[in-house]
Amino acid sequence: DSGVTQTPKHLITATGQRVTLRCSPRSGDLSVYWYQQSLDQGLQFLIHYYNGEERAKGNILERFSAQQFPDLHSELNLSSLELGDSALYFCASSVHGTEGEKLFFGSGTQLSVL
Amino acid sequence: GQNIDQPTEMTATEGAIVQINCTYQTSGFNGLFWYQQHAGEAPTFLSYNVLDGLEEKGRFSSFLSRSKGYSYLLLKELQMKDSASYLCAVRDTTGGSYIPTFGRGTSLIVHP
């Protein structure tokens, strides 16, 4: 168990809908990263938050948005869903130490858009 | 940004040694990581290199050459449970935030 909690584990929805994925980082970790993993693209960086502030954006679509709340949990909102958005979405929190800033991943949310 | 290349798939025999290579191009290198990911599960941290050389951790070792943009993960005494995808990730400076970018992973199949 990494200590990072993601809900829900599975989500099945229809095209055009909106969903919210939730992530709670490990206790004490201030950073939250969101990644999307699909079979053909691998693990793609979406967005990074640190202590409530957006720090970096990757290949995140305009239909997607995220935020990190004062209690440090984060939500990823996906709207106007398309079939191609079906993927495994991971969040990760990080700690900086002698092993660099290694990531601890949640178990992921498997999103299926039908 | 950066390009990260690693083989798509490798096979090896239980008890053997396998080396998984990773090459990268980056403008602001700040460390290289290896993660292991079993099918349907989350990636888990294996190793970290920021300086040139070899880091050993039990059956796993990781090597880095910054001048060549090259790393490898060495797995010794392979076990069936080592069948998984191995992800090379490079930490880069992007707008002041150090973002780990992942390669597509190498699927390792260990057979008896």
Side-chain angles (χ1 to χ4, degrees), chain A residues 41-106:
Chain A
Q41 290 294 322
L43 204 57
Q44 297 286 309
F45 167 68
L46 295 178
I47 198 163
H48 171 222
Y49 280 87
Y50 180 84
N51 201 21
E53 292 187 8
E54 180 186 304
R55 295 295 296 272
K57 267 187 174 180
N59 300 321
I60 187 167
L61 300 170
E62 286 193 11
R63 300 183 287 108
F64 296 1
S65 65
Q67 55 184 326
Q68 186 180 28
F69 295 87
D71 66 353
L72 300 177
H73 91 272
S74 178
E75 293 181 356
L76 179 66
N77 301 296
L78 315 176
S79 61
S80 302
L81 284 167
E82 302 175 358
L83 296 177
D85 298 328
S86 296
L88 190 51
Y89 292 83
F90 286 107
C91 81
S93 68
S94 66
V95 60
H96 188 81
T98 56
E99 292 179 310
E101 189 147 342
K102 61 182 179 180
L103 299 178
F104 295 86
F105 285 85

Side-chain angles (χ1 to χ4, degrees), chain B residues 6-62:
Chain B
Q6 48 182 134
T8 303
E9 188 174 292
M10 298 182 72
T11 58
T13 305
E14 191 175 17
I17 299 172
V18 71
Q19 177 175 312
I20 302 174
N21 296 324
C22 171
T23 58
Y24 64 89
Q25 294 175 311
T26 181
S27 52
F29 178 82
N30 194 254
L32 186 142
F33 301 81
W34 284 95
Y35 286 81
Q36 180 191 59
Q37 185 178 23
H38 285 99
E41 298 182 8
T44 56
F45 171 84
L46 286 178
S47 70
Y48 168 71
N49 296 73
V50 67
L51 300 176
D52 291 351
L54 189 69
E55 294 286 339
E56 297 185 85
K57 197 186 272 190
R59 293 190 298 116
F60 294 1
S61 302
S62 57

